[in-house]
Amino acid sequence: MTDSPSTHPPAPAVEFLDVRRIAFAEGPPPVLTPWELSEVDRLWSGTRAGNPAVFDGPLVAVTGIDLSVPGVLLAHWARLSYRYRALRVLRTAADVPGSVFVTVLLPTERGLVVGRGSATTAAPGRWTLPGGAVEPPVGAGPLTEDALRRDAAREVAEEIGVRVAAERLRLFAVTRGHRFGSLGFHFLAPPAAAAPVLRRHAELVAAESGHGAGPELDALAFVSSASAAERLGPGSDYLAQILDRYDGGSV
């Protein structure tokens, strides 16, 4: 007798990597066929037509990882731009470069801070930790864990208005997406009070709206468990697993 699909729990969206040291090696971008190049441009034009605020900014793309040394992650990466995420619909998942992103776990007395993507973002209405895609270093500079930390500090300031010194962020977890192999570097910030966080975010939203630009996160909430986040609505693929690990005391 064949088991019904409902008897099998869904596969986790991400896996946690046992990493104590991180290294990066830059290489060439993936080679695209003329058809793929044409399709990337065509799909990007459609994306822009649907959301003119989307920006074809530079991205760090994962081209492979090496975990042969215990506790050490060697990530091979290349410089791409946002439009090349279209490869996700042009190639099989195993042949698509993943992305590199950072998030910040900001604890308060009411739980961790999460935000909802505004209509102008790539994931409108989706709840996530403050953070974003990592951009390549300027020029030929190396990509390092310290650079990721600085990116994470900048993202939390830009998205919720809270300033945290980069050196005070501690690496909490590294995740790899099961579908495209995207690498997430999740940093834990020192605790903050909930009321000032809400006030700073409100001030940020008012300032950006006054300049004609919408906020990246149009609402904040505080959650202490994956079930609490699920009640808010759709969330980023990694969110439930990160919250479970945090709630389980792996800090």
Side-chain angles (χ1 to χ4, degrees):
M1 180 176 178
T2 303
D3 290 339
S4 66
S6 61
T7 63
H8 299 286
V14 300
E15 65 174 315
F16 290 95
L17 303 182
D18 181 15
V19 171
R20 294 180 295 279
R21 189 165 69 84
I22 302 164
F24 294 92
E26 184 177 2
V31 176
L32 275 64
T33 67
W35 175 81
E36 286 176 325
L37 289 169
S38 175
E39 283 297 288
V40 164
D41 290 342
R42 183 183 67 80
L43 291 169
W44 175 248
S45 296
T47 298
R48 285 278 296 163
N51 185 358
V54 174
F55 173 58
D56 189 25
L59 294 177
V60 171
V62 182
T63 55
I65 67 170
D66 183 347
L67 295 169
S68 59
V69 178
V72 178
L73 167 65
L74 173 59
H76 297 273
W77 69 280
R79 298 168 190 258
L80 285 180
S81 66
Y82 188 84
R83 71 173 60 204
Y84 289 95
R85 288 170 65 95
L87 290 174
R88 295 183 176 192
V89 300
L90 302 176
R91 293 182 173 185
T92 61
D95 199 30
V96 174
S99 59
V100 174
F101 67 95
V102 292
T103 75
V104 175
L105 288 75
L106 179 60
T108 75
E109 74 280 8
R110 294 173 57 184
L112 292 176
V113 178
V114 293
R116 185 179 63 194
S118 70
T120 60
T121 64
R126 191 171 296 275
W127 290 90
T128 180
L129 295 169
V134 172
E135 295 185 5
V138 176
L143 185 61
T144 64
E145 184 177 337
D146 283 343
L148 298 181
R149 214 175 254 105
R150 290 191 295 270
D151 271 5
R154 184 183 68 251
E155 290 285 353
V156 78
E158 291 177 351
E159 293 189 347
I160 63 175
V162 173
R163 299 194 177 279
V164 181
E167 60 270 19
R168 300 195 68 193
L169 296 175
R170 178 170 70 83
L171 187 63
F172 171 72
V174 179
T175 59
R176 177 170 58 174
H178 277 296
R179 189 175 181 197
F180 297 114
S182 294
L183 293 177
F185 296 88
H186 310 273
F187 292 93
L188 181 63
V197 170
L198 290 172
R199 184 175 65 250
R200 286 167 187 161
H201 179 252
E203 293 169 350
L204 178 68
V205 171
E208 291 186 345
S209 299
H211 289 96
E216 291 189 58
L217 301 176
D218 61 13
L220 295 187
F222 303 94
V223 296
S224 55
S225 66
S227 58
E230 288 172 0
R231 289 193 290 271
L232 293 173
S236 297
D237 58 357
Y238 63 83
L239 184 58
Q241 289 174 251
I242 287 289
L243 290 173
D244 278 341
R245 174 164 285 214
Y246 181 82
D247 190 38
S250 299
V251 296

Coordinates of all heavy atoms in Angstrom, one line a residue, residues 16-100:
F16 N 20.9 23.7 7.9 CA 21.9 24.4 8.7 C 23.3 23.8 8.5 O 23.4 22.6 8.5 CB 21.5 24.4 10.2 CG 20.3 25.2 10.5 CD1 19.1 24.6 10.6 CD2 20.4 26.5 10.8 CE1 18.0 25.3 10.9 CE2 19.3 27.3 11.1 CZ 18.1 26.7 11.2
L17 N 24.2 24.6 8.2 CA 25.6 24.2 8.0 C 26.4 24.4 9.3 O 26.4 25.4 9.9 CB 26.2 25.0 6.8 CG 25.5 24.9 5.5 CD1 26.3 25.7 4.5 CD2 25.3 23.5 5.0
D18 N 27.1 23.3 9.7 CA 28.0 23.4 10.8 C 29.3 24.1 10.5 O 30.2 23.5 10.0 CB 28.3 22.0 11.3 CG 29.1 22.0 12.6 OD1 29.3 23.0 13.2 OD2 29.7 20.9 12.9
V19 N 29.2 25.4 10.7 CA 30.3 26.3 10.2 C 30.9 27.1 11.4 O 30.1 27.7 12.1 CB 29.8 27.2 9.1 CG1 30.9 28.3 8.7 CG2 29.4 26.4 7.9
R20 N 32.2 27.1 11.5 CA 32.9 27.9 12.5 C 33.8 29.0 11.8 O 34.2 29.9 12.4 CB 33.7 27.1 13.5 CG 32.8 26.2 14.3 CD 33.6 25.4 15.3 NE 34.4 24.4 14.6 CZ 34.0 23.2 14.1 NH1 32.7 22.9 14.3 NH2 34.8 22.4 13.5
R21 N 34.1 28.7 10.6 CA 35.0 29.6 9.8 C 34.5 29.7 8.4 O 34.1 28.7 7.8 CB 36.5 29.2 9.9 CG 37.4 30.3 9.3 CD 38.8 30.0 9.7 NE 39.4 28.8 9.1 CZ 39.9 28.8 7.8 NH1 39.9 29.9 7.1 NH2 40.4 27.6 7.4
I22 N 34.5 30.9 7.8 CA 34.0 31.2 6.5 C 35.1 31.7 5.6 O 35.8 32.7 6.0 CB 32.8 32.1 6.5 CG1 31.7 31.6 7.4 CG2 32.2 32.4 5.1 CD1 30.7 32.6 7.8
A23 N 35.2 31.2 4.4 CA 36.1 31.8 3.4 C 35.4 31.9 2.1 O 34.5 31.1 1.8 CB 37.4 30.9 3.3
F24 N 35.8 32.8 1.3 CA 35.2 33.1 0.0 C 36.3 33.1 -1.1 O 37.4 33.6 -0.9 CB 34.4 34.4 -0.1 CG 33.3 34.5 0.9 CD1 33.4 34.9 2.2 CD2 32.0 34.0 0.5 CE1 32.3 35.0 3.0 CE2 30.9 34.1 1.3 CZ 31.1 34.6 2.6
A25 N 35.9 32.5 -2.3 CA 36.8 32.5 -3.4 C 36.0 33.0 -4.6 O 35.0 32.4 -5.0 CB 37.3 31.1 -3.7
E26 N 36.4 34.2 -5.2 CA 35.7 34.7 -6.4 C 36.1 34.0 -7.6 O 37.3 33.7 -7.9 CB 36.0 36.2 -6.5 CG 35.2 36.9 -7.6 CD 35.4 38.4 -7.7 OE1 36.2 38.9 -6.9 OE2 34.8 39.0 -8.6
G27 N 35.2 33.8 -8.5 CA 35.4 33.2 -9.8 C 34.6 33.8 -10.9 O 33.9 34.8 -10.7
P28 N 34.7 33.3 -12.1 CA 33.9 33.9 -13.2 C 32.4 33.6 -13.1 O 32.0 32.6 -12.5 CB 34.5 33.3 -14.5 CG 35.0 31.9 -14.0 CD 35.5 32.2 -12.6
P29 N 31.6 34.5 -13.6 CA 30.1 34.2 -13.6 C 29.8 33.0 -14.5 O 30.6 32.6 -15.4 CB 29.5 35.5 -14.2 CG 30.6 36.1 -15.0 CD 31.9 35.7 -14.3
P30 N 28.7 32.4 -14.4 CA 28.3 31.3 -15.2 C 28.1 31.7 -16.7 O 27.8 32.8 -17.0 CB 26.9 30.8 -14.6 CG 26.4 32.0 -13.9 CD 27.6 32.7 -13.4
V31 N 28.4 30.8 -17.6 CA 28.3 31.1 -19.0 C 26.9 30.9 -19.4 O 26.3 29.8 -19.1 CB 29.3 30.2 -19.8 CG1 29.1 30.4 -21.3 CG2 30.7 30.4 -19.4
L32 N 26.3 31.8 -20.1 CA 24.9 31.8 -20.6 C 24.9 31.6 -22.1 O 25.8 32.2 -22.8 CB 24.1 33.0 -20.2 CG 23.5 33.0 -18.8 CD1 24.5 33.0 -17.7 CD2 22.6 34.2 -18.6
T33 N 24.0 30.9 -22.6 CA 23.8 30.8 -24.1 C 23.2 32.1 -24.6 O 22.6 32.8 -23.8 CB 22.9 29.6 -24.4 OG1 21.6 29.9 -23.9 CG2 23.4 28.3 -23.8
P34 N 23.3 32.3 -25.9 CA 22.6 33.5 -26.4 C 21.1 33.5 -26.1 O 20.5 34.6 -25.9 CB 22.9 33.4 -27.9 CG 24.2 32.7 -28.0 CD 24.2 31.7 -26.9
W35 N 20.5 32.3 -26.2 CA 19.0 32.2 -25.9 C 18.8 32.6 -24.4 O 17.8 33.4 -24.2 CB 18.5 30.8 -26.2 CG 17.1 30.6 -25.8 CD1 16.0 31.0 -26.5 CD2 16.6 30.1 -24.5 NE1 14.8 30.7 -25.8 CE2 15.2 30.1 -24.6 CE3 17.2 29.5 -23.4 CZ2 14.4 29.7 -23.6 CZ3 16.4 29.0 -22.4 CH2 15.0 29.1 -22.5
E36 N 19.6 32.1 -23.5 CA 19.4 32.5 -22.1 C 19.6 34.0 -21.9 O 18.8 34.6 -21.2 CB 20.4 31.7 -21.2 CG 20.0 30.2 -21.1 CD 21.1 29.5 -20.3 OE1 22.3 29.8 -20.4 OE2 20.7 28.5 -19.5
L37 N 20.6 34.6 -22.5 CA 20.8 36.0 -22.4 C 19.6 36.8 -22.9 O 19.1 37.7 -22.2 CB 22.0 36.5 -23.2 CG 23.4 36.0 -22.6 CD1 24.5 36.3 -23.6 CD2 23.6 36.8 -21.3
S38 N 19.0 36.4 -24.0 CA 17.8 37.0 -24.5 C 16.6 36.8 -23.6 O 15.9 37.8 -23.4 CB 17.5 36.4 -25.9 OG 16.3 37.0 -26.4
E39 N 16.5 35.6 -23.1 CA 15.3 35.4 -22.2 C 15.5 36.1 -20.9 O 14.5 36.6 -20.3 CB 15.2 33.9 -21.9 CG 14.6 33.1 -23.1 CD 13.2 33.5 -23.3 OE1 12.3 33.2 -22.5 OE2 12.9 34.2 -24.3
V40 N 16.7 36.2 -20.3 CA 16.9 37.0 -19.1 C 16.5 38.5 -19.3 O 15.8 39.0 -18.5 CB 18.4 37.0 -18.7 CG1 18.7 38.0 -17.7 CG2 18.7 35.6 -18.1
D41 N 16.8 39.1 -20.5 CA 16.5 40.4 -20.8 C 14.9 40.6 -20.9 O 14.3 41.5 -20.4 CB 17.2 40.9 -22.0 CG 18.7 41.2 -21.8 OD1 19.1 41.2 -20.6 OD2 19.4 41.2 -22.8
R42 N 14.3 39.6 -21.6 CA 12.9 39.6 -21.8 C 12.1 39.5 -20.5 O 11.2 40.3 -20.2 CB 12.5 38.5 -22.8 CG 11.0 38.5 -23.1 CD 10.6 37.3 -24.0 NE 10.7 36.1 -23.3 CZ 9.8 35.6 -22.4 NH1 8.7 36.3 -22.2 NH2 10.0 34.4 -21.8
L43 N 12.6 38.6 -19.7 CA 11.9 38.4 -18.4 C 12.1 39.6 -17.5 O 11.2 40.0 -16.7 CB 12.4 37.1 -17.7 CG 11.9 35.8 -18.4 CD1 12.7 34.6 -17.9 CD2 10.4 35.6 -18.3
W44 N 13.3 40.2 -17.5 CA 13.5 41.4 -16.7 C 12.6 42.5 -17.1 O 12.1 43.3 -16.3 CB 15.0 41.8 -16.8 CG 15.3 43.1 -16.1 CD1 15.6 44.3 -16.6 CD2 15.2 43.2 -14.6 NE1 15.8 45.2 -15.6 CE2 15.5 44.6 -14.4 CE3 14.9 42.4 -13.6 CZ2 15.6 45.1 -13.1 CZ3 15.0 42.9 -12.3 CH2 15.3 44.3 -12.1
S45 N 12.4 42.7 -18.4 CA 11.5 43.7 -18.9 C 10.1 43.5 -18.4 O 9.4 44.5 -18.0 CB 11.5 43.7 -20.4 OG 12.7 44.1 -21.0
G46 N 9.7 42.3 -18.3 CA 8.4 42.0 -17.7 C 8.3 42.3 -16.2 O 7.3 42.8 -15.7
T47 N 9.4 42.0 -15.5 CA 9.4 42.3 -14.1 C 9.4 43.8 -13.9 O 8.7 44.2 -13.0 CB 10.7 41.7 -13.5 OG1 10.7 40.3 -13.6 CG2 10.9 42.0 -12.0
R48 N 10.1 44.5 -14.7 CA 10.1 46.0 -14.5 C 8.8 46.6 -14.8 O 8.3 47.5 -14.2 CB 11.2 46.6 -15.4 CG 12.6 46.4 -14.9 CD 13.0 47.4 -13.9 NE 13.0 48.8 -14.5 CZ 12.9 49.9 -13.7 NH1 12.9 49.8 -12.4 NH2 12.9 51.0 -14.3
A49 N 8.1 46.0 -15.8 CA 6.8 46.5 -16.2 C 5.8 46.3 -15.0 O 4.9 47.1 -14.8 CB 6.2 45.8 -17.4
G50 N 5.9 45.2 -14.3 CA 5.0 44.9 -13.2 C 5.4 45.6 -11.9 O 4.5 45.9 -11.1
N51 N 6.7 46.0 -11.7 CA 7.1 46.7 -10.5 C 8.3 47.6 -10.9 O 9.5 47.2 -10.8 CB 7.6 45.6 -9.5 CG 7.9 46.3 -8.2 OD1 7.9 47.5 -8.0 ND2 8.3 45.5 -7.2
P52 N 8.0 48.8 -11.3 CA 9.1 49.7 -11.8 C 10.1 50.0 -10.7 O 11.2 50.5 -11.1 CB 8.3 51.0 -12.2 CG 6.9 50.5 -12.5 CD 6.7 49.4 -11.5
A53 N 9.8 49.8 -9.5 CA 10.7 50.1 -8.4 C 11.8 49.0 -8.2 O 12.8 49.3 -7.5 CB 10.0 50.2 -7.0
V54 N 11.7 47.9 -8.9 CA 12.7 46.8 -8.8 C 14.0 47.3 -9.5 O 14.0 47.9 -10.6 CB 12.2 45.5 -9.5 CG1 13.3 44.5 -9.5 CG2 11.0 45.0 -8.7
F55 N 15.1 47.1 -8.8 CA 16.4 47.6 -9.2 C 17.3 46.4 -9.6 O 17.4 45.5 -8.9 CB 17.0 48.4 -8.1 CG 18.4 48.9 -8.4 CD1 18.7 49.7 -9.5 CD2 19.5 48.5 -7.5 CE1 20.0 50.1 -9.7 CE2 20.8 49.0 -7.8 CZ 21.1 49.7 -8.9
D56 N 17.9 46.5 -10.8 CA 18.9 45.5 -11.2 C 20.2 45.7 -10.6 O 21.2 46.0 -11.3 CB 18.9 45.5 -12.8 CG 19.7 44.4 -13.3 OD1 19.8 43.3 -12.7 OD2 20.3 44.5 -14.4
G57 N 20.2 45.6 -9.3 CA 21.5 45.9 -8.5 C 22.4 44.7 -8.6 O 22.1 43.6 -8.9
P58 N 23.7 44.9 -8.2 CA 24.7 43.9 -8.2 C 24.4 42.9 -7.0 O 24.0 43.2 -5.9 CB 26.0 44.6 -7.9 CG 25.6 45.9 -7.2 CD 24.2 46.2 -7.7
L59 N 24.7 41.6 -7.3 CA 24.5 40.5 -6.3 C 25.7 39.6 -6.3 O 26.5 39.5 -7.3 CB 23.3 39.7 -6.7 CG 21.9 40.3 -6.7 CD1 20.9 39.3 -7.2 CD2 21.6 40.8 -5.3
V60 N 25.9 39.0 -5.1 CA 26.9 37.9 -5.0 C 26.1 36.6 -5.3 O 25.1 36.3 -4.6 CB 27.5 37.9 -3.6 CG1 28.3 36.6 -3.4 CG2 28.3 39.1 -3.3
A61 N 26.6 35.9 -6.3 CA 26.0 34.6 -6.7 C 26.8 33.4 -6.2 O 28.1 33.5 -6.4 CB 25.7 34.5 -8.2
V62 N 26.2 32.4 -5.6 CA 27.0 31.2 -5.2 C 27.1 30.3 -6.4 O 26.1 29.9 -7.0 CB 26.2 30.5 -4.1 CG1 27.0 29.3 -3.6 CG2 25.9 31.4 -2.9
T63 N 28.4 29.9 -6.7 CA 28.6 29.0 -7.8 C 29.1 27.6 -7.3 O 29.2 26.7 -8.1 CB 29.7 29.6 -8.7 OG1 30.9 29.9 -8.0 CG2 29.2 30.8 -9.4
G64 N 29.2 27.5 -6.0 CA 29.6 26.2 -5.4 C 30.1 26.4 -4.0 O 30.5 27.5 -3.6
I65 N 30.1 25.3 -3.2 CA 30.6 25.4 -1.9 C 31.5 24.1 -1.6 O 31.3 23.1 -2.3 CB 29.5 25.4 -0.8 CG1 28.7 24.2 -0.7 CG2 28.6 26.6 -1.0 CD1 27.8 24.1 0.5
D66 N 32.4 24.3 -0.7 CA 33.3 23.2 -0.3 C 33.3 23.1 1.2 O 33.6 24.0 1.9 CB 34.8 23.5 -0.8 CG 35.8 22.4 -0.5 OD1 35.4 21.5 0.3 OD2 36.9 22.5 -1.0
L67 N 32.9 21.9 1.7 CA 32.8 21.6 3.1 C 33.7 20.5 3.5 O 33.5 19.8 4.5 CB 31.3 21.3 3.5 CG 30.3 22.4 3.4 CD1 28.9 21.8 3.5 CD2 30.5 23.5 4.4
S68 N 34.8 20.3 2.7 CA 35.6 19.2 2.9 C 36.5 19.3 4.2 O 36.9 18.3 4.8 CB 36.6 19.0 1.7 OG 37.4 20.2 1.5
V69 N 36.7 20.5 4.7 CA 37.4 20.7 6.0 C 36.3 20.9 7.0 O 35.5 21.8 6.9 CB 38.3 21.9 5.9 CG1 39.0 22.1 7.3 CG2 39.4 21.7 4.8
P70 N 36.3 20.0 8.1 CA 35.2 20.2 9.1 C 35.2 21.6 9.7 O 36.2 22.1 10.1 CB 35.6 19.1 10.1 CG 36.4 18.1 9.4 CD 37.2 18.9 8.3
G71 N 34.0 22.1 9.8 CA 33.8 23.4 10.4 C 34.1 24.6 9.5 O 34.0 25.8 10.0
V72 N 34.6 24.4 8.3 CA 35.0 25.5 7.4 C 34.1 25.4 6.2 O 34.0 24.4 5.5 CB 36.5 25.3 7.0 CG1 36.9 26.4 6.0 CG2 37.4 25.4 8.2
L73 N 33.6 26.6 5.9 CA 32.8 26.8 4.6 C 33.6 27.6 3.6 O 34.0 28.7 3.9 CB 31.5 27.5 4.9 CG 30.7 28.0 3.7 CD1 30.3 26.9 2.8 CD2 29.6 28.9 4.1
L74 N 33.9 27.0 2.5 CA 34.6 27.7 1.4 C 33.5 27.9 0.3 O 33.0 27.0 -0.3 CB 35.7 27.0 0.8 CG 36.4 27.6 -0.5 CD1 36.9 29.0 -0.2 CD2 37.5 26.7 -1.0
A75 N 33.1 29.2 0.2 CA 32.0 29.5 -0.8 C 32.6 30.1 -2.0 O 33.3 31.1 -2.0 CB 31.0 30.5 -0.2
H76 N 32.3 29.5 -3.2 CA 32.8 30.0 -4.5 C 31.7 31.0 -5.0 O 30.5 30.6 -4.9 CB 33.0 28.9 -5.5 CG 34.1 28.0 -5.1 ND1 35.5 28.2 -5.4 CD2 34.1 26.8 -4.3 CE1 36.2 27.3 -4.9 NE2 35.4 26.4 -4.2
W77 N 32.0 32.1 -5.4 CA 31.0 33.1 -5.8 C 31.4 33.9 -7.0 O 32.6 33.9 -7.4 CB 30.8 34.1 -4.6 CG 31.9 35.0 -4.3 CD1 33.1 34.8 -3.6 CD2 32.1 36.4 -4.7 NE1 33.9 35.8 -3.5 CE2 33.3 36.9 -4.2 CE3 31.3 37.3 -5.5 CZ2 33.7 38.2 -4.5 CZ3 31.7 38.6 -5.7 CH2 32.9 39.0 -5.2
A78 N 30.4 34.6 -7.6 CA 30.7 35.4 -8.8 C 29.8 36.6 -8.8 O 28.8 36.6 -8.0 CB 30.4 34.6 -10.1
R79 N 30.1 37.6 -9.5 CA 29.4 38.8 -9.6 C 28.3 38.7 -10.7 O 28.6 38.5 -11.8 CB 30.3 40.0 -9.9 CG 31.4 40.3 -8.9 CD 32.4 41.2 -9.3 NE 33.5 41.3 -8.4 CZ 33.7 42.2 -7.5 NH1 32.9 43.2 -7.4 NH2 34.8 42.1 -6.7
L80 N 27.0 38.9 -10.2 CA 25.9 39.0 -11.2 C 25.0 40.2 -10.8 O 25.3 40.9 -9.8 CB 25.1 37.7 -11.1 CG 25.7 36.4 -11.8 CD1 24.7 35.2 -11.6 CD2 25.9 36.7 -13.3
S81 N 23.9 40.3 -11.5 CA 23.0 41.4 -11.1 C 21.6 40.7 -10.9 O 21.4 39.6 -11.3 CB 22.9 42.5 -12.1 OG 22.4 42.1 -13.3
Y82 N 20.7 41.4 -10.3 CA 19.4 40.9 -9.9 C 18.6 40.2 -11.1 O 17.9 39.2 -10.9 CB 18.5 42.0 -9.3 CG 17.3 41.5 -8.7 CD1 17.3 41.0 -7.4 CD2 16.1 41.5 -9.4 CE1 16.1 40.5 -6.8 CE2 14.9 41.0 -8.8 CZ 14.9 40.5 -7.5 OH 13.8 40.0 -7.0
R83 N 18.8 40.8 -12.3 CA 18.0 40.2 -13.4 C 18.3 38.7 -13.7 O 17.5 38.0 -14.2 CB 18.2 41.0 -14.7 CG 19.5 40.9 -15.3 CD 19.6 41.6 -16.6 NE 19.3 43.0 -16.5 CZ 18.9 43.8 -17.5 NH1 18.6 43.3 -18.7 NH2 18.7 45.1 -17.3
Y84 N 19.5 38.3 -13.3 CA 19.8 36.9 -13.5 C 19.2 35.9 -12.6 O 19.3 34.7 -12.8 CB 21.4 36.8 -13.5 CG 22.0 37.5 -14.7 CD1 22.5 38.8 -14.5 CD2 22.1 36.8 -15.9 CE1 23.0 39.4 -15.6 CE2 22.6 37.5 -17.0 CZ 23.1 38.8 -16.9 OH 23.6 39.4 -17.9
R85 N 18.3 36.4 -11.7 CA 17.5 35.5 -10.9 C 16.5 34.8 -11.9 O 15.9 33.8 -11.5 CB 16.8 36.2 -9.8 CG 17.7 36.6 -8.7 CD 17.0 37.6 -7.7 NE 15.9 36.9 -7.1 CZ 15.9 36.4 -5.8 NH1 17.0 36.3 -5.2 NH2 14.8 35.9 -5.3
A86 N 16.3 35.4 -13.1 CA 15.4 34.8 -14.1 C 15.9 33.4 -14.5 O 15.1 32.6 -15.0 CB 15.4 35.7 -15.3
L87 N 17.2 33.1 -14.2 CA 17.7 31.7 -14.5 C 16.9 30.7 -13.8 O 16.9 29.5 -14.1 CB 19.2 31.6 -14.2 CG 20.1 32.4 -15.1 CD1 21.5 32.3 -14.6 CD2 20.0 31.9 -16.6
R88 N 16.2 31.1 -12.7 CA 15.4 30.1 -11.9 C 14.3 29.5 -12.7 O 13.8 28.4 -12.3 CB 14.9 30.8 -10.6 CG 16.0 31.2 -9.7 CD 15.5 31.8 -8.4 NE 16.6 32.1 -7.5 CZ 16.5 32.5 -6.2 NH1 15.3 32.5 -5.7 NH2 17.5 32.7 -5.5
V89 N 13.8 30.2 -13.7 CA 12.8 29.7 -14.6 C 13.3 29.2 -15.9 O 12.5 28.6 -16.7 CB 11.6 30.7 -14.8 CG1 11.0 31.1 -13.5 CG2 12.2 31.9 -15.6
L90 N 14.6 29.3 -16.1 CA 15.2 28.9 -17.4 C 16.0 27.6 -17.3 O 16.2 26.9 -18.3 CB 16.1 30.0 -18.0 CG 15.4 31.3 -18.2 CD1 16.4 32.3 -18.7 CD2 14.3 31.2 -19.2
R91 N 16.4 27.3 -16.1 CA 17.3 26.1 -15.9 C 16.7 25.2 -14.8 O 15.9 25.7 -14.0 CB 18.7 26.6 -15.4 CG 19.5 27.3 -16.5 CD 20.9 27.7 -16.0 NE 21.7 28.2 -17.0 CZ 23.0 28.5 -16.8 NH1 23.6 28.3 -15.6 NH2 23.8 29.0 -17.8
T92 N 17.2 24.0 -14.7 CA 16.9 23.2 -13.5 C 17.5 23.8 -12.3 O 18.5 24.5 -12.3 CB 17.4 21.8 -13.7 OG1 18.9 21.8 -13.8 CG2 16.8 21.2 -15.0
A93 N 16.9 23.5 -11.1 CA 17.3 24.2 -9.9 C 18.8 23.9 -9.6 O 19.5 24.8 -9.1 CB 16.5 23.7 -8.7
A94 N 19.3 22.7 -9.9 CA 20.7 22.3 -9.6 C 21.7 23.1 -10.4 O 22.8 23.2 -10.1 CB 20.9 20.9 -9.8
D95 N 21.2 23.8 -11.5 CA 22.1 24.5 -12.4 C 21.9 26.0 -12.3 O 22.3 26.8 -13.2 CB 21.9 24.0 -13.8 CG 23.1 24.4 -14.8 OD1 24.2 24.5 -14.3 OD2 22.9 24.6 -16.0
V96 N 21.3 26.5 -11.2 CA 21.0 27.9 -11.0 C 21.9 28.4 -9.9 O 22.0 27.8 -8.8 CB 19.6 28.2 -10.7 CG1 19.3 29.6 -10.3 CG2 18.7 27.7 -11.8
P97 N 22.7 29.5 -10.1 CA 23.5 30.1 -9.0 C 22.6 30.6 -7.9 O 21.6 31.2 -8.1 CB 24.2 31.3 -9.7 CG 24.1 31.0 -11.2 CD 22.8 30.3 -11.4
G98 N 22.9 30.2 -6.7 CA 22.2 30.7 -5.5 C 22.6 32.1 -5.2 O 23.5 32.7 -5.8
S99 N 21.9 32.7 -4.3 CA 22.3 34.1 -3.8 C 22.9 34.0 -2.4 O 22.9 33.0 -1.8 CB 21.0 35.0 -3.8 OG 20.1 34.4 -2.9
V100 N 23.5 35.1 -2.0 CA 24.1 35.2 -0.7 C 23.3 36.3 0.0 O 23.2 37.4 -0.6 CB 25.6 35.5 -0.7 CG1 26.1 35.8 0.7 CG2 26.4 34.4 -1.3

